[in-house]
Amino acid sequence: MCKIGKKHTDNSNITNIKAMISLNKPYYLRYILIFILLIILSIASVVDAEGVRRMINGATSSDIDLIISGAVLLISFLIITSLLSWLRIYLSTKINLEGTLNFQYSTLQKLNRTKLLEIKKKHSGDILSRIYDSTQEAQTRFTQVATQLLQS
């Protein structure tokens, strides 16, 4: 993190990103699982198109069995994609909440090691409020960007 009184530079931003990556190391497996879920969800869209194709072909050829098989495919697609999407959102939320807690804990540990004279310059409630807000925002942004990169 940047020290009080230092100007933000590109180098400090890179340092901050590296720190966020290192704080999120325990969640790499979950990010990989989210990536796999996103791949499965994108492949599942083919099933959706196949279900619609069967229903259209069944309607044009008056084949009830084809319409039913298309409907079953679409309903199963809807159920599976809903479950997988829920799991992806659950994992992202879990990463975000646990990551925020870990980040806040790490920041408070560093604050405890800070010299008392520096802390006395600011109101302690202000410092704790800033830590709470800043760490939560940073972790949320990091999780969103990581998920968007995986989705791309």
Side-chain angles (χ1 to χ4, degrees), residues 54-67:
R54 284 187 186 185
M55 289 185 72
I56 290 172
N57 288 344
T60 56
S61 65
S62 300
D63 186 0
I64 289 288
D65 291 334
L66 207 52
I67 293 172

Side-chain angles (χ1 to χ4, degrees), residues 47-88:
V47 174
D48 181 37
E50 177 62 22
V52 171
R53 187 188 66 78
R54 284 187 186 185
M55 289 185 72
I56 290 172
N57 288 344
T60 56
S61 65
S62 300
D63 186 0
I64 289 288
D65 291 334
L66 207 52
I67 293 172
I68 291 173
S69 71
V72 167
L73 267 177
L74 287 174
I75 291 170
S76 62
F77 168 77
L78 177 66
I79 292 169
I80 290 171
T81 55
S82 296
L83 289 173
L84 293 177
S85 294
W86 176 84
L87 184 59
R88 182 188 59 81

Side-chain angles (χ1 to χ4, degrees), residues 21 32 38 46 51-52 65 72 78 81 97 107 112-114 149:
I21 289 171
I32 291 169
L38 289 169
V46 174
V52 171
D65 291 334
V72 167
L78 177 66
T81 55
L97 292 176
T107 306
N112 283 336
R113 291 188 301 261
T114 305
L149 283 173

